Amino acid sequence: MAKDVPPRWDRRMQQRLARGEAAALGELYDRFAALVHSQAHRMLDDEDAAGLVTREVFAQVWENPEAYDPKQGSMRSWVARLTHRQSVQRLRRAAAVAYAEEHGEGAVPDPEELERRVRSATAAARADYIVSSMPASLRKALELAYTQRRDYRQTAADLGVTEDEARRRLRLGLQLLSTANTRPLEGSSPPGYGRVR
C-alpha cells in the first residue's frame, strides 16, 4: 500500500461523517475520546477544561469532516492535532484572563511569557505521553532511578537484570524523554500521533 493512501477505516470514517451519520461520530468518539481527553488533560492539567476540549474537538470533527487530509497522516493524528490546537488556545485564553485579573482590565500579558508557558505545557504533555507509551521495562527502570533514587546497580537488582541491561534501559528511556523539547510547537503532536501538518 502506498504511503499517501490512508487506512481503509480512516477513508470510510471520513465518508460516513461527511454524510452526517451520527453513528460514525459515536464510533469515532469511542475510539479516540480517551486519547483526546488525556492529551488535553496533560496540556491543561484541568479535568473540566479537558472535558470541554474533548467536546470541542468532536464538535469540530462533526462539523468539518472534510478538513481531514489523509495526506497529512491518519485520522488519529488529525484528531490529536485538533486536540493540541484547542488545548493551546484554551491555555492562552486562561493565561490572558489570569493576567487581566491580576493586573487589571485591559492588561495584556507579555507574548514571550505566554509562549513560554505554552511551550512548557506542550513539552510536559509530550514527556508525559512519552513515559506512558514507552515499554514497561524502560518506564520501570526510569521510575526506580528517578522516583525512588536508585543507582543503576540497585535498579538492575530490583529488575532482576544485568547492570549493563539496566544502564541500557535508563539510557534509552532518557533518550526518548529528551525528545520532548525538540519538536516544533505549531502543529506538533506527541510521538505516535502521525506526521506534523
Side-chain angles (χ1 to χ4, degrees):
M1 177 162 51
K3 287 184 180 181
D4 290 351
V5 178
R8 186 174 299 162
W9 186 89
D10 291 354
R11 287 192 310 267
R12 278 186 308 199
M13 179 56 67
Q14 183 181 30
Q15 292 165 353
R16 291 174 62 202
L17 289 167
R19 287 193 301 262
E21 288 184 33
L25 182 64
E27 186 179 329
L28 189 79
Y29 184 88
D30 289 345
R31 186 172 239 185
F32 296 133
L35 165 81
V36 171
H37 190 272
S38 65
Q39 184 181 354
H41 193 272
R42 285 184 200 113
M43 288 279 306
L44 302 169
D45 195 27
D46 181 329
E47 187 69 30
D48 293 335
L52 288 172
V53 166
T54 301
R55 288 191 292 279
E56 291 166 354
V57 166
F58 285 100
Q60 191 172 357
V61 168
W62 178 248
E63 293 168 5
N64 303 298
E66 69 283 349
Y68 167 59
D69 182 358
K71 293 177 183 167
Q72 296 296 318
S74 67
M75 180 77 68
R76 176 186 173 96
S77 67
W78 178 58
V79 169
R81 283 192 304 270
L82 292 175
T83 304
H84 183 263
R85 285 188 199 122
Q86 289 295 112
S87 298
V88 167
Q89 288 173 2
R90 186 163 292 282
L91 189 62
R92 286 185 175 138
R93 282 192 304 262
V97 167
Y99 190 86
E101 287 175 356
E102 185 177 322
H103 294 93
E105 189 72 29
V108 180
D110 176 25
E112 289 180 17
E113 173 62 19
L114 187 55
E115 287 308 306
R116 187 196 62 71
R117 286 183 188 182
V118 169
R119 282 189 193 93
S120 177
T122 300
R126 274 194 221 112
D128 188 40
Y129 176 82
I130 289 167
V131 169
S132 67
S133 63
M134 70 176 46
S137 60
L138 298 181
R139 189 171 49 249
K140 185 64 177 170
L142 287 175
E143 179 185 312
L144 288 168
Y146 293 97
T147 305
Q148 298 180 22
R149 304 238 184 240
R150 305 270 203 271
D151 66 19
Y152 74 93
R153 288 182 183 99
Q154 294 166 322
T155 298
D158 288 350
L159 294 175
V161 298
T162 66
E163 291 178 4
D164 284 342
E165 176 62 15
R167 280 195 300 261
R168 187 192 69 77
R169 290 180 187 184
L170 290 168
R171 185 172 45 252
L172 184 54
L174 289 174
Q175 286 172 339
L176 288 170
L177 272 176
S178 72
T179 65
N181 283 318
T182 59
R183 303 187 78 194
L185 175 64
E186 189 56 39
S188 63
S189 55
Y193 285 173
R195 291 176 291 181
V196 174
R197 187 179 271 248

